[in-house]
Amino acid sequence: MSAKTITIIKPDDWHLHFRDNGMLLETVPATARCFSRAIVMPNLVPPVVNAEMALSYRERILSARPNGSTFEPLMTLYLTDKTTPADIRAAKKAGIVAVKLYPAGATTNSDAGVNALDTLYPVFEEIATQNMRLLIHGEVTSKDIDIFDREKVFIDRYLCHLTRQIPELKFVFEHITTSDAVDFVLESSANVAATITPQHLLMNRNDMLDGGIRPHNYCLPVLKRSSHQLALRKAVQSGSKKFFLGSDSAPHEKNKKESSCGCAGCYSAWSALELYVQVFEELGALDKLENFTSRNGPDFYGLPYNKEQVTLVRKEWQVPESIVLPDGERIVPFYAGQTLQWQIAN
Ligand code: DOR
Ligand code: ZN
């Protein structure tokens, strides 16, 4: 008999994009619906490069919470070539928990990111000293490297060296997409963990390219071939403590996705938790769900588990075709128009 309800510790989302200003009135309530905390990406325009900017961004997020919500944003700092160890100390004092490394040009609003990773080792040392976490978008940006190989090449060029040089640095290899990344994380020490998105567990590159280009399934790192998808599914099925929930929910307006040069990102806040449940059920691994959604992340960050719980019921419902923003613009959510099997009970 398959379960009709599932009750778990209320999850956290260890990687997402809220954006800013008017968009927050959509994104913050959508996430607060099912997550107690979230690691908030700093790739705004301009990027969140110091403690002061992070604190004022935090205030804007808090103001967008629904009445009575206790949702807690966990703030991050955007690393640039100019970030100093003093910036890291100031960030720690301001309550910022993590520092985000975007290789310059790797993805949305990453132009101010890092050009020479090797020159930032003193900053990485300080991140370790301050017991903060480094969050790594692990793709090389060289145009001569095939886009499907950029994660593997990043491991070989940078991550192997980083783990050898600063073994005490706790870092998250974010939104991993390949068997190479799974193997790297499993072979590394307990200081290395990874987040995995719903789209990379549910899809492979055929779901983006077969029968027509599907821009709403386009994200970065790009979906890979099915053998990599299977490796990710095995990783979560294994119950390893090194993997945890990070939706990478990343809204872009409909016209910016459905374009001759469409933006990368899947806006999954409306369905992410339900889709993870679906994946764990398909894998016969519902007993591993709660650690992935609600314990492995806090353990890696040294934070307490949430006290609240959330219940999901087996009930069909349809993800909306589109969502209208306060300014009238539209967003097409991930899995738009599709029927899901699990729903959060109110
Ligand atoms: O698909 C993505 N969208 N990947 C990223 O790394 C960034 C994100 C965004 O900000 O839109
Ligand atoms: Zn992201």
Side-chain angles (χ1 to χ4, degrees):
M1 258 271 297
S2 52
K4 290 208 173 60
T5 68
I6 296 173
T7 298
I8 52 175
I9 298 172
K10 196 168 179 187
D12 304 303
D13 190 339
W14 298 98
H15 177 136
L16 59 63
H17 303 262
F18 275 149
R19 313 302 186 206
D20 207 350
N21 302 321
M23 185 83 103
L24 294 176
L25 292 173
E26 159 56 32
T27 54
V28 175
T31 286
R33 173 186 77 95
C34 52
F35 296 107
S36 283
R37 298 170 288 199
I39 286 276
V40 181
M41 288 297 120
N43 62 332
L44 304 182
V45 186
V48 180
V49 293
N50 58 47
E52 196 189 340
M53 291 174 90
L55 289 180
S56 78
Y57 184 31
R58 181 170 181 274
E59 288 306 313
R60 298 195 293 283
I61 294 167
L62 292 176
S63 306
R65 292 186 301 184
N67 280 341
S69 169
T70 55
F71 171 78
E72 187 190 352
L74 302 172
M75 306 310 291
T76 64
L77 196 73
Y78 185 115
L79 207 57
T80 75
D81 294 329
K82 298 206 175 85
T83 307
T84 63
D87 293 326
I88 302 300
R89 288 189 289 275
K92 173 73 180 191
K93 272 208 182 119
I96 292 166
V97 297
V99 182
K100 173 73 189 228
L101 189 165
Y102 288 107
T107 186
T108 310
N109 302 335
S110 63
D111 293 350
V114 172
N115 288 290
L117 203 139
D118 332 2
T119 63
L120 282 171
Y121 273 62
V123 171
F124 299 152
E125 305 258 11
E126 192 61 37
I127 292 170
T129 303
Q130 296 299 327
N131 195 23
M132 295 169 82
R133 303 293 175 268
L134 178 64
L135 312 179
I136 303 181
H137 183 115
E139 287 190 290
V140 294
T141 53
S142 334
K143 299 296 170 207
D144 59 322
I145 305 292
D146 189 282
I147 190 165
F148 292 101
D149 298 332
R150 287 180 186 176
E151 186 172 275
K152 157 110 179 78
V153 175
F154 191 89
I155 297 169
D156 298 342
R157 278 195 195 163
Y158 300 110
L159 291 185
C160 295
H161 190 255
L162 182 62
T163 47
R164 272 199 307 273
Q165 288 303 115
I166 318 181
E168 67 278 19
L169 176 66
K170 292 194 167 81
F171 72 84
V172 182
F173 192 172
E174 298 202 279
H175 40 52
I176 58 168
T177 63
T178 58
S179 61
D180 311 281
V182 170
D183 292 345
F184 172 80
V185 171
L186 287 174
E187 286 159 16
S188 299
S189 80
N191 290 341
V192 179
T195 51
I196 308 185
T197 74
Q199 61 266 29
H200 293 104
L201 290 167
L202 285 158
M203 293 179 173
N204 58 66
R205 62 198 192 182
N206 280 5
D207 297 291
M208 180 178 60
L209 296 171
D210 186 23
I213 290 187
R214 289 161 214 280
H216 299 292
N217 294 345
Y218 171 60
C219 64
L220 287 170
V222 73
L223 295 169
K224 305 296 192 298
R225 62 167 64 244
S226 66
S227 54
H228 291 298
Q229 179 196 358
L230 284 175
L232 298 173
R233 290 171 73 97
K234 267 181 70 181
V236 301
Q237 191 180 28
S238 77
S240 162
K241 286 201 65 68
K242 288 172 155 270
F243 303 104
F244 43 86
L245 189 160
S247 71
D248 201 11
S249 182
H252 291 276
E253 287 156 8
K254 185 173 190 285
N255 63 333
K256 295 196 175 128
K257 295 282 297 171
E258 298 173 7
S259 142
S260 59
C261 185
C263 293
C266 303
Y267 181 48
S268 61
W270 281 59
S271 59
L273 182 58
E274 294 84 345
L275 288 171
Y276 282 116
V277 175
Q278 184 181 313
V279 168
F280 277 79
E281 182 170 50
E282 285 166 10
L283 293 169
L286 281 175
D287 58 324
K288 310 276 177 24
L289 175 75
E290 190 177 31
N291 280 355
F292 179 82
T293 60
S294 317
R295 289 200 189 91
N296 298 352
D299 284 345
F300 188 75
Y301 277 79
L303 292 170
Y305 300 150
N306 294 316
K307 299 229 161 50
E308 294 169 273
Q309 291 188 318
V310 70
T311 296
L312 292 115
V313 291
R314 186 185 297 285
K315 184 174 173 224
E316 289 196 349
W317 65 283
Q318 222 185 19
V319 180
E321 294 284 357
S322 75
I323 294 157
V324 184
L325 295 175
D327 65 359
E329 290 284 349
R330 276 174 193 276
I331 299 181
V332 176
F334 186 56
Y335 260 58
Q338 296 195 57
T339 302
L340 304 193
Q341 304 303 321
W342 288 96
Q343 190 173 45
I344 294 179
N346 283 318

